Amino acid sequence: MDIVVKGRKTEVPERFRKHVAEKLKLEKIQKLDGKVISLDVEVSKEPNPRQADRCDRVEITLRSRGPVIRAEASANDPYAALDLAAEKLDARLRKQHDKRHTRRGARRLTAAEVPDHVPGAATLNGNGHAVPDEQSDGVPTKKIGSLEVKGEGPLVVREKTHVASPMSLDQALYEMELVGHDFYLFVDSETKEPSVVYRRHAYDYGVIHLSTDPMVTQAQPPSAGGTLGG
């Protein structure tokens, strides 16, 4: 496998091509992902003088039998941008490698071991049927499809909270491809509002943006306290 280096609206000097080969060690990459098909490096330049501190942009695209992994960075020269992008690529490759290693090394649990390892898992009796679970307050919990209902309600579903750094739409697409999901929830770096990118037909993508309704934020509830005049 060779590294393909190309420029977009800019010339790529031979010195930079050699630096790419030295920076992106194929042996190291193939140790982390032995199914690499291609590795492309694209260099572009931003002509806007206001963006002189990040005028050079390098995007690395690694294609293998798994999800496409991309890493990009911008700096005031292509060599610094390549170093930053290479660090991102290495981190994402290690993340993928560790995920595969964890899945491969994990053993399957027996039915009797599941309640001890999976919080909220149903306990089975000798006939293989779920044993009704009584909560500490004496209210029974029952299963309705894939949901749990405590007493007469409300529905109790699993909640997850993730810490997210604001990112661009392109970065969110890259992250979605990296984890191999059909959608990705992120905080838009421009609007600072939550957004979702999702996969449509073929290679098309969609994006849903959420914005705060100003009418709702302005409608504050009346104060519960106050001062009584004498």
Side-chain angles (χ1 to χ4, degrees), residues 109-136:
L109 301 176
T110 64
E113 294 176 315
V114 170
D116 298 330
H117 293 80
V118 182
T123 303
L124 303 181
N125 58 22
N127 297 325
H129 298 107
V131 177
D133 181 23
E134 294 288 333
Q135 300 295 328
S136 57

Side-chain angles (χ1 to χ4, degrees), residues 80-169:
L82 174 65
D83 292 345
L84 294 173
E87 291 177 2
K88 293 181 180 180
L89 178 69
D90 183 71
R92 291 170 186 173
L93 277 172
R94 292 184 181 279
K95 181 179 178 181
Q96 282 290 94
H97 179 268
D98 293 342
K99 184 185 296 185
R100 288 193 299 267
H101 181 74
T102 301
R103 289 177 178 174
R104 193 178 299 119
R107 69 179 183 88
R108 292 187 176 182
L109 301 176
T110 64
E113 294 176 315
V114 170
D116 298 330
H117 293 80
V118 182
T123 303
L124 303 181
N125 58 22
N127 297 325
H129 298 107
V131 177
D133 181 23
E134 294 288 333
Q135 300 295 328
S136 57
D137 55 4
V139 179
T141 300
K142 58 184 178 181
K143 296 281 287 185
I144 299 181
S146 60
L147 301 177
E148 290 183 350
V149 179
K150 184 176 181 182
E152 298 300 325
L155 296 178
V156 179
V157 297
R158 180 177 296 179
E159 296 181 355
K160 289 185 178 181
T161 302
H162 297 277
V163 178
S165 300
M167 63 179 65
S168 65
L169 176 59

